[in-house]
Amino acid sequence: MTDIQKRLFDLQDEKYRDFSMKLTPSADPDTFIGVRLPKLRALAKELKGTDEAEIFINTLPHEYFDEYHLHAFLLSYIKDFDEGVAQLERLLPYIDNWSTCDSIRVKAFEKEPERLLPYIKKWLSSGHTYTIRCGIMCLMNLFLNDRYDPKYPDMVAAVKSEEYYVRMMVAWYFATALAKQYDSAVGYIENKRLDNWTHNKAIQKAVESYRVSDEHKAYLKTLRIK
């Protein structure tokens, strides 16, 4: 057992482990230690910039689910764009669950988001569920603000997959777009640009959002596909 693994087991919460296992059925249940996310973030903050952290993120695959979460949190401290992309692309093929995928936030990308677009396009066509999910998540987090352009939701609407965790992320993206860029995003719902399940799920998530007005929610409800 490595020193980092020992530290993770020292932070183990068995009740939380059992809870996490139920939430992430795609991951191997035997890999869960059960470390709560705030403690993982605190450990990542403690380890950042150390030789131990560098060795850890350059040693794949990991043995435990919690190690992948720690890895994702360590990536957030990378300041160089090129290094951030290289390290993320090393990690993505090993991700097997939505929780680890959604924990990835590389701060270096926020400074130069346009440079990420060629990689996002590649990820969206990768065929790997969580690589696709990560690409959609990057578009949602980085390009639904003043950088918004209709070509970005076009990219998401063009994703075709039967994978639940891809379709759910597409729905989440459009629900967020309806909150942030309603006048443009509503056209994708009106024109039925998504498959029926994703269409209805996007409406559901938008209706549940406090960021969408009551007027818009009422209209979106009329667009549900029965």
Side-chain angles (χ1 to χ4, degrees), residues 72 75 88 91-92 95 100-106 134 137 141:
L75 293 190
L88 177 54
L91 176 63
L92 283 173
I95 295 178
T100 303
C101 181
D102 294 4
S103 296
I104 297 170
R105 295 287 190 280
V106 183
C134 182
M137 183 176 65
N141 291 336

Side-chain angles (χ1 to χ4, degrees), residues 21-38:
M21 287 167 56
K22 294 177 182 177
L23 287 180
T24 48
S26 65
D28 182 350
D30 292 333
T31 65
F32 285 75
I33 297 174
V35 183
R36 292 182 178 273
L37 295 185

